[in-house]
Amino acid sequence: MRLKALLALVLLPLLVGSAVGGYLGLMRGTPSIRELKEHAQRGARVYADDDTLIAVLSPTRGAQHVPLRQMPPHLINAVVAVEDERFFKHKGIDYIAIVRAALADLYARRLVQGGSTITQQLAKITFLSPEKTLKRKLREAALAIKIERSLSKEEILELYLNRVYLGHGAYGVGAAARLYFDKPVSALTLPEAALLAGLIRAPARYSPFNNAHRAKRRQLVVLRRMQEAGFLTPRQAKEAAQQVIELSAKRPRDESINYFIDYVRRQLEAQFGPQRLYYGGLRVYTTLDVRLQALAEQALQEGLRALEKRRGWRGPIRRMKLQELPQEMPFVRKFAPGDILEAVVLEASAQEARLWVEGREGILHWRDALWARRLYSPRSEEPRVLEPFSLQRLLEPGDVVLVRIKEVPRQGPLALALEQEPQVQGALLALEPRTGYLRAMVGGYQYGKSEYNRAVYALRQPGSAFKPVIYAAALEAGYTPASIIVDEETTYEWSPEDIWSPKNYDEKHYGPTRLREALAYSRNVVTVKLLDEMGIGRAISFARKLGIQAKMPRDLTLALGSLSLTPMELIYAYSPFANGGFRVKPQAIKYIADSRGRIVLSYQPQNKRVMSPETAFLATSMMQDVVNYGTGWRAKAVGKPVAAKTGTTDEYRDAWFIGYSKNLLCGVWVGFDDMSPLGKEETGSRAAGPIWVAFMKEALRGQPPEWFEPPEGIVSYWVDTTTGLRVKEPAGRPLATYYREYFRRGTEPPLQEPLPLWQVAPETLDYD
């Protein structure tokens, strides 16, 4: 007995201590109750460059806080009935619901019910990390118990309803009421409240904007649960179910600005930690230009849709029986030109098709579907062509397709155009090259479908978009734009098993070639031979100075961009070309103030000279000719002085277009996440170029042209195009075999006497 008592005296404190220690360990890092209640007022406020508020950073991304007293009782009852019927009876964890859910899942042999209470859901969405581990689940349970002990049920409901995600970027019932119905929470009707409550389980699946009939069925489930819980009489539930809801005319846009917000959020979390960021009342003033951001989103989405159409028609999204179409729509939907919606084909003839678009008829003419004559084939690089083209051969009654609304007449059918959801992805980054200020950032086709920011995190091969780095390194080493390298069949044999023969894109050779011409036409053989002459080590060292930290192969394939790096890393490496030779760091934040307006941090542009101003000008001048007559010819449509370079990798897996004016640098990447080929002939010029042009043309609209002026150390001479040697200016108009070239003073080539005029073939004379 004494031994047992002694063991008890020893073990009991150990067990109690372990339990207390385990609880304290679980609770470490979780928000305090005070912080939970204050988060809506204390979240960091983020402003664009013009001081426009663009976000409130909180664990729930700045949900609009609405006091519980302003919420109608039927909204509260709807949420409780469908999410946690025993909410007012349990103490944070509902063991009865857990057992019931486990039995239902076991019977169905799949997950069909959840046992989480509203308090547990509040604890879950309060955590600052998305990890799904046993430790996190235990911490959620511990926090739920802590919340129940510290807050009243009404306080818990208020916090939950202001934090829960309800789709299309709407956090909290306040934002959701505005989004779906364009009204305050206090004005919600019973049918509207039931619809919102039904969204909680799966916002994207039950969104009335995505699928009106699925949303209606979910609303009926909520009304039935409210009746079963005693919140409604059968008559009230029936009347609510029969009422037609008018949805907001606003459309839930995919906010690509969230790519930038997430990028800023990560920096702030690293700088301040989650607690001060989300509960410290910080004010963050960023470099984002809201106008350029909107232009970037539009340009990327339209460009990716155009590329997807060139890849070919993949067929209908799905099929349905026309008998399943409802006679009446459960919601009143207002249409606007530009809306992209699902539609059901009712009938199709050769020239036009009649479609059902959420309760209204629409007409699709063959001209607005002509792109679909190209039929996508996953086993072939080249799409099949439907000849002769006919809508009757393309579409069948019951096909569910995507359409864009062209016109919305007051009476009669909608005018439609056939669309297709892109599978291809892309990224666009725009910055100010002198300061490094980020002006626009889009990391994918739609943030709502993929939050992965490809502009910042995707590792891709740059292909020929890396060539300006090689040529600039050569210019720093003493080469000139007029230096000659022979474009010819070349083989490198490092061992009997390691033999490589670089090829040009068109598999032709052009003999003696000036570096300016080689870059303009993106000649592979010349670039490889240039790297071989210059030395791989010199090129890698120069790339490091530009800010490229990616691992680089120490072989000649580096000339063709065989490394992997992020779009941000490559695009920022171009900034010294545009700003006169200075490396700049990505700058998304200008300064940060505390809740009293005092500056706590100020971020100054960090510039470091990495190349001479002469090299920067010469490289820019060469890339201007990429636009003037080379692979980047599409950029001439901008109508302003710009320099650019295209990039395409093997099998068309990556397409790049990076270019700049004097004060704005923009880069575009296009590709598939799984590295699939984009399709035949989808080069950087064709796939990424139109996106770049669409953005830059609007971004620079109304601005006067700004020329790239040569610095003092630059001289200009007439040069023979065939030899690269300096010549005297001929009398009268210059001959076609001569052109004006720039050089760093001291690197100009020796003088060559021009041929007498009588020895020059007449067809080479320039009479313009």
Side-chain angles (χ1 to χ4, degrees):
M1 291 295 293
R2 290 181 178 178
L3 181 60
K4 291 182 178 180
L6 183 61
L7 288 173
L9 289 173
V10 173
L11 292 176
L12 185 60
L14 289 175
L15 292 173
V16 172
S18 297
V20 173
Y23 178 79
L24 293 176
L26 287 173
M27 296 307 295
R28 183 180 299 139
T30 61
S32 68
I33 297 301
R34 179 182 59 82
E35 290 169 335
L36 287 175
K37 297 176 69 175
E38 292 181 352
H39 92 279
Q41 293 76 30
R42 307 279 293 184
R45 303 175 76 82
V46 182
Y47 299 89
D49 187 55
D50 61 355
D51 293 343
T52 300
L53 180 66
I54 55 176
V56 179
L57 298 184
S58 72
T60 54
R61 308 192 183 191
Q64 176 187 343
H65 193 87
V66 180
L68 192 69
R69 63 179 179 275
Q70 294 182 13
M71 302 181 194
H74 47 250
L75 172 62
I76 299 170
N77 293 339
V79 172
V80 170
V82 76
E83 289 297 319
D84 186 4
E85 185 182 344
R86 289 172 38 82
F87 172 71
F88 290 100
K89 299 178 182 178
H90 61 67
K91 299 297 182 181
I93 300 176
D94 190 349
Y95 300 101
I96 295 176
I98 292 174
V99 172
R100 183 173 62 240
L103 292 175
D105 295 343
L106 184 64
Y107 178 78
R109 296 185 178 181
R110 60 186 179 90
L111 295 175
V112 295
Q113 282 191 21
S116 294
T117 64
I118 285 176
T119 314
Q120 285 177 285
Q121 292 181 49
L122 174 61
K124 180 178 180 180
I125 59 180
T126 296
F127 275 92
L128 309 180
S129 63
E131 59 179 344
K132 296 181 180 180
T133 62
L134 176 61
K135 180 181 178 181
R136 169 170 169 149
K137 296 297 293 182
L138 292 173
R139 294 178 76 191
E140 287 173 3
L143 182 57
I145 295 172
K146 178 181 177 181
I147 291 171
E148 286 278 350
R149 289 175 177 173
S150 305
L151 301 178
S152 67
K153 291 290 187 180
E154 288 72 20
E155 290 175 315
I156 294 171
L157 274 174
E158 181 173 313
L159 287 171
Y160 175 73
L161 291 172
N162 278 289
R163 295 180 174 212
V164 66
Y165 183 61
L166 294 165
H168 302 293
Y171 287 84
V173 293
R178 288 293 183 188
L179 172 67
Y180 292 104
F181 312 115
D182 197 19
K183 61 172 61 174
V185 175
S186 58
L188 289 177
T189 64
L190 171 59
E192 292 167 345
L195 178 62
L196 288 190
L199 293 171
I200 295 175
R201 171 177 288 187
R205 177 176 175 79
Y206 296 122
S207 166
F209 291 134
N210 293 345
N211 191 308
H213 300 286
R214 189 182 292 142
K216 181 63 179 181
R217 290 193 294 269
R218 180 64 178 166
Q219 180 210 37
L220 296 178
V221 169
V222 175
L223 292 171
R224 188 181 71 247
R225 296 274 184 86
M226 294 179 72
Q227 179 184 333
E228 293 171 352
F231 295 128
L232 296 177
T233 64
R235 181 178 178 179
Q236 289 172 323
K238 183 178 180 180
E239 289 177 351
Q242 292 175 344
Q243 289 184 32
V244 177
I245 294 178
E246 181 174 335
L247 296 176
S248 169
K250 297 178 180 178
R251 289 297 178 265
R253 291 191 60 219
D254 183 78
E255 295 295 340
S256 69
I257 198 172
N258 286 327
Y259 288 115
F260 179 82
I261 298 300
D262 287 351
Y263 178 72
V264 169
R265 181 197 295 265
R266 284 175 178 253
Q267 291 189 41
L268 294 172
E269 283 185 347
Q271 181 73 42
F272 296 100
Q275 299 305 313
R276 188 177 180 190
L277 171 60
Y278 296 128
Y279 308 109
L282 297 176
R283 301 175 190 176
V284 184
Y285 295 85
T286 74
T287 62
L288 188 79
D289 186 311
V290 290
R291 183 182 76 91
L292 296 186
Q293 180 66 26
L295 292 176
E297 178 182 13
Q298 181 180 356
L300 185 66
Q301 289 186 347
E302 290 181 354
L304 295 182
R305 283 198 291 266
L307 171 57
E308 195 68 37
K309 290 175 182 177
R310 291 196 299 271
R311 285 171 53 80
W313 170 244
R314 297 196 305 268
I317 301 171
R318 60 182 181 277
R319 291 186 54 79
M320 65 178 297
K321 296 179 180 178
L322 294 182
Q323 297 89 331
E324 297 174 359
L325 287 177
Q327 298 300 314
E328 295 183 0
M329 282 295 293
F331 311 117
V332 175
R333 179 71 173 264
K334 295 181 180 179
F335 300 97
D339 287 350
I340 296 179
L341 305 167
E342 289 187 2
V344 182
V345 178
L346 300 177
E347 61 179 3
S349 64
Q351 301 269 325
E352 67 178 32
R354 191 165 58 90
L355 292 87
W356 183 92
V357 189
E358 298 195 4
R360 187 165 175 179
E361 188 175 298
I363 297 296
L364 172 67
H365 290 283
W366 68 272
R367 296 184 191 85
D368 296 313
L370 189 59
W371 64 268
R373 71 186 186 279
R374 295 164 59 88
L375 305 177
Y376 173 72
S377 174
R379 299 180 181 179
S380 173
E381 291 185 5
E382 191 68 27
R384 295 185 296 109
V385 178
L386 183 64
E387 292 289 357
F389 178 73
S390 162
L391 287 178
Q392 195 170 25
R393 299 182 65 196
L394 187 73
L395 304 173
E396 296 181 9
D399 284 350
V400 180
V401 298
L402 212 59
V403 295
R404 174 173 49 85
I405 296 179
K406 295 179 61 181
E407 296 179 21
V408 186
R410 291 185 177 181
Q411 294 182 343
L414 303 166
L416 308 174
L418 189 64
E419 288 289 341
Q420 184 164 256
E421 186 82 359
Q423 295 178 335
V424 65
Q425 282 290 351
L428 186 152
L429 200 65
L431 61 107
E432 191 176 275
R434 292 181 297 104
T435 61
Y437 283 177
L438 277 164
R439 295 307 192 186
M441 173 187 285
V442 185
Y445 174 69
Q446 281 190 345
Y447 181 86
K449 295 186 177 179
S450 174
E451 298 181 8
Y452 178 56
N453 192 339
R454 295 156 187 84
V456 179
Y457 305 114
L459 288 172
R460 310 294 298 212
Q461 288 194 346
S464 296
F466 189 73
K467 286 178 181 175
V469 177
I470 303 296
Y471 284 77
L475 293 172
E476 283 281 273
Y479 287 80
T480 76
S483 296
I484 296 287
I485 290 182
V486 180
D487 185 353
E488 61 187 352
E489 183 94 21
T490 304
T491 298
Y492 296 92
E493 184 173 352
W494 296 284
S495 70
E497 295 80 22
D498 194 2
I499 301 174
W500 182 48
S501 297
K503 304 291 184 183
N504 291 324
Y505 176 76
D506 58 5
E507 297 189 353
K508 297 179 181 179
H509 297 286
Y510 296 87
T513 305
R514 292 168 291 117
L515 295 191
R516 176 179 292 274
E517 185 181 11
L519 184 62
Y521 291 116
S522 203
R523 301 272 166 76
N524 291 338
V525 175
V526 172
T527 311
V528 172
K529 294 181 72 174
L530 175 64
L531 179 61
D532 192 27
E533 286 184 12
M534 175 179 55
I536 297 171
R538 186 189 295 272
I540 291 177
S541 176
F542 185 77
R544 293 281 184 242
K545 289 181 181 180
L546 297 185
I548 296 175
Q549 300 301 315
K551 183 179 179 181
M552 286 180 266
R554 301 192 72 87
D555 59 50
L556 295 178
T557 64
L558 179 64
L560 307 184
S562 60
L563 71 163
S564 294
L565 75 177
T566 66
M568 174 177 276
E569 193 173 6
L570 180 61
I571 294 165
Y572 265 88
Y574 273 63
S575 55
F577 302 136
N579 66 24
F582 292 94
R583 170 184 170 182
V584 296
K585 288 188 176 181
Q587 200 81 23
I589 302 171
K590 292 188 295 184
Y591 63 94
I592 301 172
D594 62 16
S595 58
R596 297 181 181 179
R598 297 173 299 189
I599 304 298
V600 296
L601 269 179
S602 180
Y603 296 84
Q604 299 300 322
Q606 300 182 34
N607 297 348
K608 179 181 179 182
R609 181 166 289 284
V610 293
M611 71 175 77
S612 68
E614 292 81 10
T615 295
F617 172 78
L618 292 174
T620 293
S621 172
M622 294 167 71
M623 282 190 275
Q624 283 185 284
D625 276 351
V626 173
V627 174
N628 291 336
Y629 60 82
T631 60
W633 59 270
R634 281 183 170 85
K636 287 190 287 187
V638 172
K640 300 288 187 346
V642 294
K645 183 66 185 80
T646 59
T648 311
T649 59
D650 288 345
E651 299 182 355
Y652 306 100
R653 297 182 189 277
D654 299 272
W656 298 82
F657 201 103
I658 306 175
Y660 51 91
S661 66
K662 195 169 183 179
N663 291 310
L664 186 62
L665 165 61
C666 173
V668 175
W669 166 82
V670 173
F672 284 96
D673 287 339
D674 63 0
M675 305 287 184
S676 297
L678 290 169
K680 190 176 180 181
E681 307 300 327
E682 292 296 344
T683 61
S685 177
R686 190 184 191 202
I691 299 171
W692 187 92
V693 170
F695 171 77
M696 290 292 283
K697 190 173 184 179
E698 292 302 316
L700 300 179
R701 184 179 294 278
Q703 298 183 17
E706 295 185 280
W707 306 95
F708 298 101
E709 299 293 341
E712 290 185 2
I714 292 294
V715 293
S716 175
Y717 293 100
W718 289 99
V719 170
D720 188 317
T721 59
T722 59
T723 66
L725 298 179
R726 184 161 51 98
V727 297
K728 291 182 179 179
E729 182 176 355
R733 300 292 293 172
L735 303 177
T737 53
Y738 306 129
Y739 77 104
R740 197 81 177 176
E741 183 58 275
Y742 293 107
F743 301 93
R744 181 190 295 111
R745 182 176 287 110
T747 66
E748 55 268 29
L751 184 65
Q752 169 189 292
E753 289 294 333
L755 291 172
L757 192 59
W758 59 269
Q759 291 186 9
V760 180
E763 60 268 19
T764 65
L765 295 176
D766 184 0
Y767 295 104
D768 291 337

